[in-house]
Amino acid sequence: MTAPVTAIGIDPGLASTGFAVVEMLDRRGRVRQWGTISTRPGPALAERLSSIYAHLSEILSRWHPRLMVVEDVYVLKAYPKAAIQLGAVRGVVLLAAEHHRIRVCEIKPTEVKSALTGNGRASKAHVGTMIRRILNFDGGRTSDHVSDAMALAVTGLSRSGLLRW
């Protein structure tokens, strides 16, 4: 019998970083831990980034995932400051992965949507419904950030070669 493979999906954001630790064996999976790492807008950027790093490091130390799947960057020209902040968050997320010696995979949102629904322009609601069905997840209401993180983890595992299908 093969051992389950664990991955963590990360939907980065300065105010709210969604995460989901997913364990897969063959075509069955379960969500081991999920949630958001939230920061308040008051403190300095460095303090907020440090908080994200610390919380994420605790999660990585607990679960020891073999793979971290991070949503690839997309930038809206109308919000250049948001893009810079997102880059800073992604930097601490990638640093945490490196410190914990975790392989990283970056996937575009359209790729995840296409993999799970067959449509790269699917709505967040459709992706959320599909990922709940795939993982047989009934953990109550979750944010879009958490659903996205679950979807990232599953898509990353399926593309990484870590699973035998």
Side-chain angles (χ1 to χ4, degrees):
M1 181 173 187
T2 59
V5 180
T6 304
I8 184 168
I10 304 288
D11 181 20
L14 184 58
S16 184
T17 292
F19 71 90
V21 178
V22 174
E23 186 179 79
M24 299 286 294
L25 179 61
D26 298 322
R27 290 184 178 251
R28 292 185 307 273
R30 68 179 174 172
V31 184
R32 304 292 294 188
Q33 184 180 358
W34 67 92
T36 55
I37 301 168
S38 300
T39 66
R40 294 179 294 108
L45 177 62
E47 186 177 333
R48 294 173 79 183
L49 294 172
S50 178
S51 176
I52 292 167
Y53 179 86
H55 283 88
L56 183 55
S57 285
E58 287 175 17
I59 296 162
L60 298 176
S61 292
R62 177 176 183 197
W63 295 106
H64 307 286
R66 289 190 55 197
L67 180 67
M68 176 186 283
V69 187
V70 182
E71 186 174 78
D72 202 359
V73 176
Y74 63 94
V75 178
L76 298 174
K77 291 180 184 178
Y79 302 101
K81 185 175 180 183
I84 292 168
Q85 290 175 341
L86 179 59
V89 173
R90 285 176 41 81
V92 299
V93 166
L94 297 175
L95 180 63
E98 178 62 23
H99 281 176
H100 290 269
R101 303 212 184 295
I102 299 168
R103 178 176 158 188
V104 175
C105 172
E106 298 177 71
I107 301 178
K108 294 180 184 331
T110 53
E111 235 180 292
V112 172
K113 291 176 180 183
S114 182
L116 295 177
T117 70
N119 177 2
R121 302 244 183 253
S123 69
K124 285 191 174 284
H126 190 190
V127 171
T129 299
M130 291 304 293
I131 196 62
R132 283 175 173 276
R133 187 174 300 147
I134 290 166
L135 293 171
N136 196 26
F137 179 78
D138 190 22
R141 185 174 165 91
T142 60
S143 71
D144 287 343
H145 297 296
V146 171
S147 293
D148 289 352
M150 288 181 203
L152 283 158
V154 169
T155 304
L157 277 171
S158 72
R159 299 206 172 161
S160 68
L162 292 173
L163 289 177
R164 292 185 186 193
W165 292 102

